[in-house]
Structures are given as structure tokens and as C-alpha cells.
Amino acid sequence: MNRGARQSEPAWQSKPSWFGRNRLALRLTLLTSVIALILAALYTTFEIQAQKQNLRAEASAELKSLGETVEPALSASLWELDTERAEIVLYGLLHAPGVDAARVTSIQGEAVNLGPELNRDNVVTIALSIQSPQNDDRLLGMAWLSRDLSSRKSALLDHSLASLAANVGRTLLIALFLLLLTHFLVIRRLQKIEDYTRTIDSKKLATPLKPTSSRNRAADSIDRLEEAIDSMRRKLLRDIRLRERNRKEIIIFANALASIAEGVVILDERYRLISMNASAERLLERSNKTSVGLSVQDIMGENLGPAFQALTKDALSTRQRWEGQLWIERANDEGFPALVSLSLVQHGPDNKNIILVFNDVSRYRQFEERMDFLRHHDALTSLPNRRFITRLLERRLSHGRLYPALLMLDLDDFKTVNNSLGHDAGDRLLQSVANRLQDAISGDDIIGRLGSDEFAIIHDTEEDNNSLPSICQAIESAMTRPFHIQGHEIHLSTCIGIARHPSDGQDANTLITRADAALYQSKLHGRSSHSVSQREIIESNKIRFRISADLRKAIERDELALYLQPIVKLSNSRITAMEGLIRWNHPEQGQISPGDFLPIAASSGLMPRLNEWVLDHACEILSQLPPDRPEGFRVAVNLSADAVHDRNLPHKIASCLAQMGLNPRLLEIEITETAVMKSQKLSRSVLEQLRELGVTVAMDDFGTGYSSLAYLRQFPLDYLKIDRSFVTGVPDVREDCGISQTIMTLADRLGIKTIVEGVETQRQRDFFRDHGCDEAQGFLFYRPMPAAEAGQLLKASAADKQQNIEIKEGHE
């Protein structure tokens, strides 16, 4: 037989022939036919016997009837002893149908026999008693009449055989009918079940054997068999799916067990190894195959010996879990600390396993040490961070014998380095600064990085603090040397704020607060400066902080108000515009000057909210002012540098104006030259969009900043506002007059109108009017007033103008 030849299928899997398919029907038919034939033969036999008996009975009755007919003649013959006459009577009987032999015997012994000798087996004979004709019951003799049944029995046998043949034929026809009936009603349905079960697989298990639509009729045995098979199919399908799901889960769990970093060891109740995963093999440097059956002490060291087993067995019996740290030994006798947990898993009443999970925690201890270092140190410079500096300062203060001073340092213009050279260069610069500071201080001093470009130094001093100037000088000397970062030479300076114990504070937080305040004051003094904490600085900072917090609440509580100061045309002193000036009526401190809270708002990040508030209220006031306003009337508002650098400012202003239904020409935006110079390209783009929108643009405080003709030509301006600092000395101070005249001439040449602010005397008004200034504002004309009063003023101004027009028309 060839190796590649297909092995023969089992007999139950091969497809049978038609006779094989109907073997059961054939067997049933054959059995039925044999039984029917036997029954037919028995029936025929019984029928033949019954007909024989009937034939004998009929023959006996007929012979008896003939005998009774001739009995009187025979009785007379025997009474007269006339044998010849008796012979004649018998001879007459022989010619009668159905009598084949006759014999008469008298009591005297005389006998007369007629007919042939007959076979007793096929002869029916009757005996007749011949009585005396005298009716005296005297017996005269006996007569016997016989009939031969042989010919009649042959005909009877032929008839019986024909009947048997007919029965056999009918039986075969009935058997054939039963065969076909069995095939269609039984065999075909059984064959369907056979075909279904023969070819069934996991895919066909989802298909029922019998459709639901065919289950309406009353169920027979085969239907119940089909239902039983279908029920078995469903159970088998459910078991297969369950096993498949369990198989997948086992694979997933096995893969997970093999891939996890923790070592997993499965033990029996006697702490002998059943199996362990790949991580356990790696950690213990042992093979699972060679270690099966060994005790946990043999594979993991003496620390897991009988004492450990007894301890954990008690814990597992009560809590079914134990956890702890142990020293585990490898196969090469090297060890490592491990976190170990044991769990008891019970699969049945007598089947328990112990799951031991362990992990090498030596690397976690190193990680914890590193994390502890990072919690207390700066990741970039490895210096103590703010939290650790605070703790170290508290330790120094707790000694009592020392007089520590806290120095806080801030790098000047570090943001410029970050923005121009990138954050990587900034990080390298900070690392270099940290190294230099460590070299500049003494060994007992502690240096830390508080955040960004801010450092702190804890310096132990004598009671007189004489060493502070020397350390400040050492720091400044170290910082004056150039830094070389990524091919760039960088020059830095630093500001220092100093707080001393015990004069500036008794605890660490107080010293940090006061050193920070002193640092802020040092920044105000300029580069490379240092300041010692003073009570006035602390109080000033407290006030700044309180004002910043109250200002946030003031915006939310609507404590602010927008006052309006009219701007007049110098040629006729009529109102042409009004400037919106923010005012704050503090609920406790009363009116707070804008010069006090606006710088605080700028440093605390509140200017964007104030800009939005000013715009909203200016548009609201414009919508409420009387409609008969002067021609070209506008309301001017000041916006901070943040607003000018906001690309969305034109969109915000357009939305605000559209919401109130206002013409954009009613609004004037005032910006300072310092603001536009911080980002000229962006500022020019924003101002051009505002001009396209129709909003008037004015430059405020002109002359106090760059005052350059080159940049002035680049910006789309409608007005220049001459700062009040140049107005105070007019017309007596020649320099102020010269500057003012130059600004007005410059604006006139560029086609820009001028506004002078801070006019308080008649002589100042005359000077600016005579030299071509267009508009002015100041206490000489009007003071700032609430919006309601400004509305009344506009109404009165419009009425005066109308009255003057009517008087003029009357004169004409």
C-alpha cells in the first residue's frame, strides 16, 4: 500500500447502497413475510383439516339419511329372512350417489356384502341397527354403509394448494407495500438523521436537524428521536462554545502568566513545585522542567523552609492569603530582596494549590530612592527644590545657635535667552549658572533652585551679618563672567533679595516671603542689584496683593465705573469727543486712583479682563447717549499692550458694536507708542484692520517713548495725543514749548490731527490753539464725570448749538 494512499474510511462513514440504506426495511419486510407465510401455511393446514372433517360429517350424514331410507326394507327382509331381497336393497343403495360399499349382517350370522374393498384411511362408514318391524325393539341385525373419499380429498388438496398460493401472493404484495411504506415513513427519515449525524461538525451544529415549521403535527417516535438529537445538538454546541471560550481564556491566561514580569510559582499542599512561569525561571535561574517536584526551599532558598511553610500555612488556612518580604536565593547562591504573596486556590474538596507570586524589589528600591531625590531636588540642576530648601531652612532655624540668612536670586533677561536661542540653550544656561553659584559659595552654604530662573541660597552668618556683602559680591562676580552656550556668548546679571533671621522672620515661610519681597524691590532698582528685606517693602507687597485680590472681585461685582471727560475743539471750545476713564470705588477704601491699581492689574494678568470690560461699557454708554450728538462725535477708550497684540481684537470690537447697533466711527481706540513698538508687525496689522472697520485710532502719551518719525509713518493713525508732561511748562518753559510745537508740526505734515491733554490754564489753551492743535482736554474745560452727567451735557450742548443757529438765521 502506498504511503500517500488514503486510508479506508470506517464502515459507518462510507456511503451505503440503496439496499444498504433500506436494509432495515428489508429485514422488517422479510420477517413480516416469513411470519405471514407461516401463518398462511398454518391457516391452509387448519383449513384442510376442517374441510376433511366437514367432508366426513357430510358423508356420514348423507349415508345415515340413505340408511334410514332403506331401513324399513332391510328390516322386512331380515324379519322374513329374505337375503335376496336384502341384497336387492343393498344393490339399490350402491347405485345411489355417495355409497361405495354396503354390508348387512343378521343376528343369525348371515351377511350380505356388496361393493369393492375400500382403504380405511379414506372411507367413511356408518353402522345402522335394524329393528323388528313389530316395534318391539328387537334387534334383527346390523347394516354398514361406506363412502370412499379419496377423489374428494384430492380435489380438496388442490383447492387448498391454490388457496395457499393465493395467500403467498397476497403476502408478497403486502410485504412489498410494507417495504415501500417503511422506506418513505421510516427509513427515509432515519436516513436523514443518519446523514445529519454522519456529516455533522462544529459549523453545522448551529443548524437544527428539523425545521421549526415542521413541528406542528403530533410527534411520533422518530419526531421524538429527532428532538432528542436536536437537544443533544444544542447541548453539544453549548459545550463546544463553552470549551472554546475556556480554551481561549486558558490561552490568554497562559500568555499573560508567561509575559508578566512577576515570578509565579504553583505549589501543591506540601510546598512542592508543580510549575512556574518564564519570569520565575529568569529570576531564579532555574528550569521549570528540572525543578518540578522539588520543594520551595530547594528552589528559592532557606528562608522558605519549614518555619516559613508553617507560618504561611496557618495564614492561608484562616485568610487564604499571606504577604511579606523575603530574601530569595538563585541557583548560583546569589540573592535578592523580593515582595512575596501566597494565595490558596481550591479546585475541589481535596484539590488545593498554593500560588506564590514574587518580584525582585531591588530595582524598585533604587527607583524609590531616585523618586525621593526628584521629590526634593530639581531635575535639571540636581539642586534642592523649593520644598527641600524650605525643610533645610527649618532645620537650620531649629538649631538655635545659627543666624541663617536666605538669599533669593533672579536672572535678568533670562526669558530673552529662552525666546531667542530656544529652551535647550536656556536649560544649559541654568545648569551653568547652578555650577557657578556652587563654586561661588562656601561649603556650609546650601543652594537650591526654586523654579524657572530663580535660585535660593541658605547662608549661615554671625549675629552681625557682616558676611552678607562678601557673598553678594562673590555671586555678582561669578555672574559677570560670560557664559558660552552652543557657540553663543551670553552675559547675565542677577538681582538678589535678602531676608535675615531673626530680624526678618522666625520661621522658614516668613523668611522666604520677605526675601521674595526684597527681590522684587531689587528688580525695581535695576540690573545687578541686591536689597535687604525691609518692613516697608513687606507692607507694600501686602497692599499690592490685597488690591489685586479686591480688583478681581471688583470686576465680578461691577464695582468699576467708566467716567467720561469731554474733548473740545480748540477753535470754538465745542465738545467733539469724550474719553472713557476707568474709576474704582472700593467698598472700604473709597476711590482708588487708576495710577495705583492699573499697574497691579498689569502685573497680575488682569488687563485682558479690564480691556474687555472697558470695551463693553463704552459701547453700552454710546448706545445710551442722546442721538443729537455733535458731528464726528466719538468716545475714546485706552487699551493695554495685550489688547493691541491680540489678533482677535478687531473681531471682538466688531461684535461688540454690532450687538449694540453702533456705527464704528463712534469708537476711538487709544494705544501707547510703547505698546506698538513691542511687536510692530502685529500691531500694524491689528491697527489696519481697525481702520478698515471704521474705528478711529489715536496714539496716547506721544513724546514719552520712541517718538520716531520712521515708525510713525508705518502706523495708520488718526490722532496724536500730546502727553501732559509737556503741557505743564507751557508757555513758560522753552523746552516744553519746543517739543509741543515739533509734535504738532510733525503730525500736521503726516496728515494726523493732534489732541493735547492736561490743559488747565487759559494761557496753555491759547498756546496750543495758536500753534494749530486741533483738540484739547483738561480741567480747564471739563473734569471726568459719570456717563449720566455726560449725557445731560451733550443734550445741553446740542440745545445751545441749535439756539445759536436760530439766532444767526434771525439776524440774517
Side-chain angles (χ1 to χ4, degrees):
M1 180 176 182
N2 295 333
R3 278 177 119 178
R6 236 180 120 186
Q7 295 183 357
S8 60
E9 294 181 348
W12 64 272
Q13 288 185 344
S14 60
K15 190 173 182 180
S17 61
W18 186 90
F19 289 100
R21 285 174 174 267
N22 294 276
R23 188 172 296 163
L24 177 61
L26 290 173
R27 289 176 180 175
L28 291 176
T29 303
L30 180 60
L31 180 61
T32 304
S33 300
V34 170
I35 294 174
L37 289 175
I38 293 174
L39 291 177
L42 292 175
Y43 174 76
T44 303
T45 301
F46 290 147
E47 185 181 16
I48 291 173
Q49 293 297 327
Q51 289 181 358
K52 282 183 178 181
Q53 291 178 1
N54 291 336
L55 185 61
R56 285 181 177 274
E58 289 178 358
S60 297
E62 290 179 355
L63 290 177
K64 186 176 180 180
S65 177
L66 290 174
E68 290 176 353
T69 302
V70 297
E71 182 185 3
L74 290 176
S75 178
S77 300
L78 292 179
W79 176 262
E80 294 175 0
L81 298 175
D82 186 354
T83 57
E84 292 181 356
R85 186 178 175 183
E87 184 175 352
I88 292 171
V89 173
L90 291 178
Y91 184 79
L93 284 174
L94 289 175
H95 286 82
V99 180
D100 296 317
R103 183 166 65 89
V104 175
T105 302
S106 64
I107 58 173
Q108 290 84 10
E110 294 181 356
V112 178
N113 290 318
L114 293 179
E117 190 69 25
L118 301 176
N119 187 358
R120 289 186 177 182
D121 294 335
N122 296 321
V123 175
V124 176
T125 302
I126 65 167
L128 296 173
S129 298
I130 299 174
Q131 300 293 334
S132 168
Q134 300 298 321
N135 296 324
D136 53 5
D137 295 332
R138 240 184 338 172
L139 182 63
L140 296 182
M142 295 293 295
W144 286 271
L145 299 178
S146 300
R147 178 180 289 181
D148 189 0
L149 300 177
S150 299
S151 59
R152 294 188 179 184
K153 285 186 175 181
S154 297
L156 179 61
L157 181 60
D158 292 341
H159 174 74
S160 297
L161 291 176
S163 175
L164 178 61
N167 289 336
V168 170
R170 285 193 296 270
T171 300
L172 292 177
L173 290 175
I174 293 173
L176 180 60
F177 174 75
L178 289 176
L179 175 63
L180 297 176
L181 189 64
T182 304
H183 171 76
F184 285 103
L185 296 182
V186 178
I187 301 302
R188 191 170 64 173
R189 294 169 64 187
L190 291 177
Q191 188 61 43
K192 180 181 177 182
I193 297 175
E194 179 187 357
D195 293 340
Y196 180 82
T197 55
R198 186 192 303 278
T199 60
I200 195 168
D201 55 18
S202 58
K203 295 181 179 179
K204 287 189 176 181
L205 279 176
T207 305
L209 171 63
K210 189 174 183 180
T212 308
S213 58
S214 60
R215 299 179 183 179
N216 296 328
R217 57 182 176 80
D220 54 19
S221 298
I222 297 180
D223 290 330
R224 288 191 289 273
L225 175 62
E226 289 176 341
E227 292 175 358
I229 293 175
D230 203 48
S231 175
M232 182 179 65
R233 173 194 66 80
R234 291 191 298 269
K235 293 179 181 178
L236 182 61
L237 180 62
R238 186 166 57 249
D239 291 344
I240 290 176
R241 289 175 176 172
L242 180 60
R243 289 189 179 186
E244 181 65 19
R245 185 167 62 251
N246 292 340
R247 184 184 69 83
K248 291 181 179 179
E249 290 179 355
I250 290 173
I251 293 175
I252 292 173
F253 291 144
N255 292 335
L257 190 64
S259 62
I260 61 176
E262 289 78 6
V264 180
V265 177
I266 302 177
L267 307 170
D268 59 17
E269 291 185 89
R270 296 184 299 169
Y271 286 79
R272 296 189 177 274
L273 179 69
I274 298 176
S275 179
M276 59 181 171
N277 68 344
S279 296
E281 291 181 313
R282 175 179 54 80
L283 292 171
L284 298 175
E285 297 183 357
R286 294 180 180 273
S287 171
N288 182 52
K289 293 182 180 179
T290 59
S291 301
V292 172
L294 297 178
S295 68
V296 68
Q297 179 181 356
D298 294 334
I299 63 176
M300 301 182 75
E302 297 295 332
N303 291 326
L304 284 83
F308 165 78
Q309 297 174 18
L311 173 66
T312 56
K313 187 173 291 185
D314 293 340
L316 293 175
S317 63
T318 56
R319 302 190 303 272
Q320 296 188 339
R321 187 173 182 84
W322 180 90
E323 290 183 353
Q325 291 191 13
L326 295 173
W327 184 263
I328 293 179
E329 298 179 0
R330 295 188 175 95
N332 58 3
D333 294 334
E334 293 181 356
F336 58 90
L339 181 63
V340 181
S341 66
L342 276 75
S343 302
L344 183 64
V345 179
Q346 188 164 351
H347 307 287
D350 299 324
N351 192 2
K352 298 178 181 179
N353 290 111
I354 298 171
I355 310 299
L356 187 152
V357 181
F358 68 98
N359 198 4
D360 184 358
V361 297
S362 57
R363 53 176 179 166
Y364 293 108
R365 288 183 178 177
Q366 297 173 359
F367 176 75
E368 288 177 355
E369 292 174 359
R370 176 60 180 167
M371 291 302 297
D372 183 67
F373 179 83
L374 292 178
R375 278 195 296 268
H376 297 89
H377 293 78
D378 173 50
L380 181 63
T381 61
S382 298
L383 297 176
N385 57 17
R386 180 181 291 272
R387 179 187 301 175
F388 197 27
I389 281 289
T390 304
R391 187 181 302 176
L392 293 174
L393 184 57
E394 289 173 349
R395 291 178 185 174
R396 292 290 179 95
L397 293 173
S398 64
H399 289 166
R401 300 187 305 273
L402 302 175
Y403 297 91
L406 180 66
L407 290 77
M408 295 187 70
L409 293 75
D410 187 86
L411 304 181
D412 297 327
D413 290 336
F414 174 75
K415 186 176 181 181
T416 304
V417 177
N418 249 351
N419 294 338
S420 58
L421 301 182
H423 290 280
D424 184 57
D427 291 343
R428 291 177 181 271
L429 179 59
L430 290 174
Q431 292 172 341
S432 300
V433 169
N435 294 332
R436 284 199 187 178
L437 290 177
Q438 286 178 314
D439 294 337
I441 64 176
S442 63
D444 295 332
D445 294 341
I446 300 174
I447 181 173
R449 183 185 176 208
L450 305 183
S452 186
D453 59 343
E454 194 173 34
F455 295 84
I457 297 175
I458 301 176
H459 173 68
D460 292 332
T461 67
E462 301 297 334
E463 189 172 1
D464 55 4
N465 296 312
N466 288 334
S467 60
L468 285 176
S470 62
I471 188 173
C472 290
Q473 184 178 359
I475 293 171
E476 291 173 358
S477 176
M479 299 303 295
T480 54
R481 299 196 308 271
F483 293 88
H484 297 278
I485 305 296
Q486 296 181 350
H488 299 278
E489 183 176 293
I490 301 173
H491 294 269
L492 283 181
S493 59
T494 182
C495 293
I496 305 174
I498 305 171
R500 301 154 300 182
H501 172 76
S503 60
D504 295 324
Q506 300 292 331
D507 58 88
N509 289 329
T510 303
L511 287 176
I512 291 174
T513 301
R514 295 193 172 178
D516 192 29
L519 176 61
Y520 178 79
Q521 192 67 25
S522 178
K523 288 181 180 180
L524 296 179
H525 294 161
R527 296 171 178 266
S528 300
S529 61
H530 63 272
S531 298
V532 180
S533 175
Q534 298 177 3
R535 191 170 302 277
E536 295 79 6
I537 299 175
I538 301 300
E539 293 301 324
S540 176
N541 286 338
K542 288 182 179 179
I543 293 173
R544 289 175 57 84
F545 179 78
R546 186 164 56 251
I547 289 177
S548 176
D550 290 347
L551 184 57
R552 293 178 186 273
K553 297 177 182 178
I555 298 174
E556 298 172 357
R557 298 172 181 174
D558 202 19
E559 295 176 0
L560 304 178
L562 193 65
Y563 275 45
L564 298 179
Q565 184 179 24
I567 301 174
V568 301
K569 192 172 182 180
L570 282 174
S571 60
N572 56 17
S573 298
R574 293 193 178 278
I575 298 174
T576 57
M578 291 187 178
E579 180 180 4
L581 302 173
I582 192 169
R583 294 292 184 266
W584 181 15
N585 185 17
H586 194 281
E588 297 176 358
Q589 302 179 29
Q591 290 289 340
I592 299 179
S593 171
D596 292 334
F597 69 81
L598 287 180
I600 297 175
S603 62
S604 58
L606 290 175
M607 288 308 298
R609 294 182 63 184
L610 283 178
N611 289 330
E612 184 178 350
W613 184 92
V614 168
L615 281 173
D616 291 341
H617 282 70
C619 291
E620 183 179 355
I621 290 172
L622 274 171
S623 65
Q624 297 173 356
L625 290 177
D628 50 348
R629 296 181 286 261
E631 183 179 356
F633 178 82
R634 64 199 184 278
V635 170
V637 292
N638 290 276
L639 296 183
S640 67
D642 296 334
V644 181
H645 300 152
D646 185 3
R647 300 179 185 273
N648 294 322
L649 178 63
H651 174 70
K652 294 178 180 177
I653 292 177
S655 300
C656 187
L657 292 170
Q659 186 176 2
M660 295 295 179
L662 298 174
N663 188 330
R665 297 191 180 279
L666 293 173
L667 182 66
E668 177 181 308
I669 300 299
E670 294 185 1
I671 44 93
T672 63
E673 54 182 326
T674 305
V676 297
M677 289 303 294
K678 287 184 177 180
S679 179
Q680 298 182 32
K681 186 176 180 181
L682 179 58
S683 300
R684 185 170 62 251
S685 175
V686 172
L687 295 179
E688 287 175 350
Q689 294 181 54
L690 291 177
R691 284 287 299 274
E692 293 175 1
L693 183 64
V695 175
T696 304
V697 179
M699 180 169 288
D700 195 14
D701 300 336
F702 185 74
T704 60
Y706 296 87
S707 303
S708 171
L709 177 62
Y711 85 80
L712 193 60
R713 295 174 56 188
Q714 299 176 7
F715 296 106
L717 301 175
D718 297 294
Y719 288 91
L720 282 182
K721 297 192 73 171
I722 303 173
D723 188 67
R724 67 178 64 245
S725 61
F726 305 123
V727 179
T728 306
V730 173
D732 298 323
V733 180
R734 185 178 60 181
E735 290 80 4
D736 290 346
C737 292
I739 293 174
S740 299
Q741 285 179 316
T742 302
I743 294 174
M744 288 185 285
T745 303
L746 176 64
D748 183 62
R749 297 292 176 87
L750 295 175
I752 303 174
K753 296 180 180 181
T754 53
I755 303 174
V756 60
E757 55 184 1
V759 177
E760 298 182 358
T761 67
Q762 191 73 28
R763 294 176 65 203
Q764 292 171 349
R765 182 193 69 176
D766 294 340
F767 174 82
F768 284 102
R769 182 190 60 194
D770 295 341
H771 287 83
C773 185
D774 297 286
E775 298 176 358
Q777 67 182 106
F779 290 171
L780 177 64
F781 307 104
Y782 299 99
R783 291 180 176 272
M785 62 188 70
E789 293 183 17
Q792 296 296 328
L793 179 61
L794 282 178
K795 286 183 180 180
S797 178
D800 292 343
K801 182 180 179 181
Q802 182 65 30
Q803 184 177 4
N804 292 335
I805 293 173
E806 291 176 356
I807 292 173
K808 185 178 180 181
E809 289 176 353
H811 286 300
E812 292 178 354

